[in-house]
Amino acid sequence: MGPPASVADEAAPVPSPAADSTVPRKSWKMASGFKALVNSAKKLAIGDSGSKAGIDDLFPAVDKAVDGDDCDHDCDNCVVQYPKNFKIDEEDELYGFVKGWSTHVLVATGKTDWVRDVADEKGSVMQAIGGSKGPSNGRLMLSASNIPTPHHTSDYSEPTTVLLLPAFTIIENVTPATVPTLITKFIEKAPTNTSPLEPVSLPKAFPAPLPEASPAALKELTTRPCPHQAIILLCSQKTRDARCGQSAPLLRKELQRHLQPLGLYRDLDDERPGGVGIYFISHVGGHKYSANMMVYRRPDAFGLDNVERGKLAEGETATPTKKNIGTAAEESEDDVGAGQCIWLARVKPEDCEGIVKFTVLQGKLVKPKSQLRGGFDRSKGLMSW
């Protein structure tokens, strides 16, 4: 079973009398009251982990006194735009309506679109995971991704790789038959979104109990650290919503434009250490708030989290050093995986400059009230659920 759509998908915006003069005030009040009741019910259904953070506590927001007068400005020289008919919900409250998850698995498929429910992709690792009991260490979010397969085809009969988050660990040689081993020996042993920041301790390899006649190369799952400092995930599944298929490639192009001059952009086949990987994934819920973007960051990913841009001397810039750009996870014995996941929605091309500058590089939010859906910060022990 793939990741369930967020319950926030179900809420419809309520126009205000100011926005729509055809809405009588009494009707608007009734609709607003009903909306508040629905929101309360949704929050009750999602539950409270006991570490639920307020929107102002989870991630810092930009501050002109600290980050400069232009910290909340949209990009004024974007090279791409959404189609004119690209309409989304701009009214719903976003924060706090994402169901909590413990681990996140991205399955490499080499594709950017899938059947409506990726667990129905016949013969795939997604189908095997969806049909399994699931890990014992909490809810698993399952995503198909456009990460290239080892054989560079979309043939599900071939072994593939998965990226396990927040562990930032790549697991190779995965097949539907080895999914039980993947779950019990890797996912269940991996850190979760609520785990303290401690070194990831997963086996380098583990034999999979396959029939004797199986090829020897398929009988062992192996692991290696993800080489990137941060990962940006964009929903691209147009079979769920055409807007996701439209927004993902446009946002990637704009993100690339801002990451490349910093030496941080990594394309799908670029595994140089450091940098930022951008991947397309299947439906995560909330497509009416397209574009959805999830940013997984290693702790202080680029050495800039505490930099106050607004107080830098004239001519001084806050850019990652060569060490930050090229820090190899393989060389670190204290790799703790992702320290944060910042889940944004309503992302537009003009937002990308600020997202790269502040969210990716520094873990800050530019538009928390209108864009933040949720996430976690393991160093603080806080999450949005």
Side-chain angles (χ1 to χ4, degrees):
M1 94 199 116
S6 164
V7 288
D9 285 352
E10 307 303 324
V14 178
S16 68
D20 185 350
S21 59
T22 65
V23 180
R25 182 166 295 276
K26 184 176 180 181
S27 298
W28 175 76
K29 285 184 177 180
M30 290 177 63
S32 297
F34 178 73
K35 183 70 176 293
L37 189 63
V38 169
N39 284 347
S40 297
K42 289 189 296 183
K43 288 183 177 179
L44 187 63
I46 291 170
D48 189 335
S49 64
S51 300
K52 187 170 184 176
I55 191 171
D56 297 321
D57 301 319
L58 189 52
F59 308 115
V62 294
D63 180 340
K64 290 186 177 182
V66 174
D67 302 299
D69 290 338
D70 63 346
C71 65
D72 59 354
H73 292 184
D74 288 342
C75 174
D76 58 5
N77 62 346
C78 283
V79 296
V80 297
Q81 293 181 332
Y82 285 157
K84 290 183 178 180
N85 62 348
F86 193 97
K87 305 294 183 183
I88 62 168
D89 176 286
E90 298 278 7
E91 300 293 332
D92 279 358
E93 180 184 347
L94 290 184
Y95 182 75
F97 295 104
V98 170
K99 188 175 182 179
W101 74 103
S102 295
T103 52
H104 192 175
V105 163
L106 275 60
V107 180
T109 72
K111 301 196 296 183
T112 61
D113 196 26
W114 307 268
V115 298
R116 181 174 176 82
D117 186 337
V118 296
D120 292 333
E121 289 271 348
K122 292 183 179 179
S124 70
V125 167
M126 293 87 72
Q127 185 180 48
I129 293 176
S132 69
K133 181 181 177 182
S136 61
N137 58 346
R139 177 175 172 251
L140 170 67
M141 183 183 290
L142 171 64
S143 296
S145 78
N146 71 331
I147 296 173
T149 61
H151 41 88
H152 291 283
T153 73
S154 298
D155 185 352
Y156 290 143
S157 68
E158 298 284 348
T160 191
T161 59
V162 305
L163 173 57
L164 177 58
L165 298 165
F168 260 70
T169 298
I170 295 170
I171 305 170
E172 300 175 308
N173 220 20
V174 181
T175 65
T178 58
V179 161
T181 302
L182 170 71
I183 291 175
T184 58
K185 302 303 179 182
F186 295 96
I187 297 176
E188 289 186 347
K189 308 295 184 185
T192 69
N193 298 342
T194 60
S195 299
L197 286 175
E198 297 175 349
V200 175
S201 180
L202 290 174
K204 297 291 184 185
F206 198 91
L210 294 177
E212 194 65 35
S214 301
L218 298 182
K219 292 185 177 181
E220 188 174 65
L221 299 181
T222 60
T223 67
R224 59 186 174 91
C226 174
H228 304 311
Q229 290 296 97
I231 291 171
I232 300 174
L233 306 179
L234 301 168
C235 178
S236 67
Q237 192 172 358
K238 63 183 179 182
T239 55
R240 296 297 294 259
D241 195 294
R243 291 168 293 190
C244 298
Q246 293 171 331
S247 63
L250 295 175
L251 290 180
R252 180 177 60 185
K253 182 176 181 179
E254 191 64 14
L255 289 166
Q256 177 181 351
R257 190 170 75 90
H258 294 289
L259 288 167
Q260 213 147 29
L262 301 173
L264 296 178
Y265 177 72
R266 301 290 186 267
D267 64 27
L268 291 174
D269 293 307
D270 187 346
E271 294 208 348
R272 286 177 296 156
V276 180
I278 303 175
Y279 302 126
F280 293 172
I281 61 170
S282 53
H283 182 66
V284 292
H287 48 255
K288 71 174 183 174
Y289 310 123
S290 186
N292 276 271
M293 174 188 291
M294 302 176 76
V295 180
Y296 281 92
R297 304 175 71 245
R298 294 183 183 275
D300 198 5
F302 302 99
L304 298 174
D305 282 15
N306 297 316
V307 170
E308 298 183 342
R309 293 174 182 266
K311 298 180 181 180
L312 296 176
E314 186 176 351
E316 190 177 1
T317 59
T319 55
T321 64
K322 289 183 179 179
K323 179 180 178 182
N324 297 131
I325 293 173
T327 298
E330 293 89 341
E331 298 173 358
S332 175
E333 295 182 358
D334 57 355
D335 179 18
V336 299
Q340 296 173 318
C341 176
I342 302 171
W343 187 339
L344 304 175
R346 298 177 179 144
V347 178
K348 301 175 177 64
E350 57 265 31
D351 296 319
C352 289
E353 180 180 21
I355 286 173
V356 168
K357 186 175 179 180
F358 294 106
T359 306
V360 176
L361 294 187
Q362 295 191 275
K364 294 185 175 184
L365 301 172
V366 180
K367 300 176 180 179
K369 302 297 184 185
S370 62
Q371 291 187 328
L372 181 63
R373 291 192 68 188
F376 63 83
D377 188 314
R378 291 170 61 202
S379 66
K380 297 178 181 178
L382 295 177
M383 56 223 66
S384 62
W385 55 85

